[in-house]
Amino acid sequence: MKQYIDQQGFSSVMAAYRQFAAKVHPKAISGFYYRLGNYILFYYNDRNDEAIAAFQEALKLNPGHQHAAQALNKLQQQ
């Protein structure tokens, strides 16, 4: 995943997930966005804005995703 993000960029990963979201139940895809946000936080120290975007997308697809909401709140408070 890191190599793909490094080569293709974050927006490409988000676009790929959006294609899946159009075909699969949104709540299932929200977990992918949540994991993407965590992945970005773990591997990239300077890309909090991308992690925020991933968590926001997770919440857009599943407003009840508590882990995404907690992660987003934590980042926004920093």
Side-chain angles (χ1 to χ4, degrees):
M1 171 78 80
K2 186 174 186 318
Q3 183 179 9
Y4 185 80
I5 292 173
D6 288 343
Q7 290 175 352
Q8 302 297 319
F10 175 72
S11 59
S12 293
V13 174
M14 293 288 282
Y17 282 4
R18 282 189 192 102
Q19 289 177 349
F20 287 122
K23 298 175 183 175
V24 180
H25 194 275
K27 284 187 178 183
I29 298 300
S30 70
F32 286 120
Y33 283 107
Y34 170 70
R35 286 188 287 284
L36 175 62
N38 282 326
Y39 184 89
I40 290 168
L41 289 175
F42 185 79
Y43 286 103
Y44 302 97
N45 293 330
D46 59 345
R47 294 187 175 181
N48 285 358
D49 56 332
E50 293 175 355
I52 287 171
F55 294 138
Q56 287 173 334
E57 194 67 27
L59 289 168
K60 192 183 312 178
L61 294 169
N62 180 6
H65 197 300
Q66 291 187 354
H67 295 294
Q70 291 170 352
L72 179 60
N73 288 334
K74 183 178 178 182
L75 279 175
Q76 290 176 331
Q77 291 177 2
Q78 289 181 353

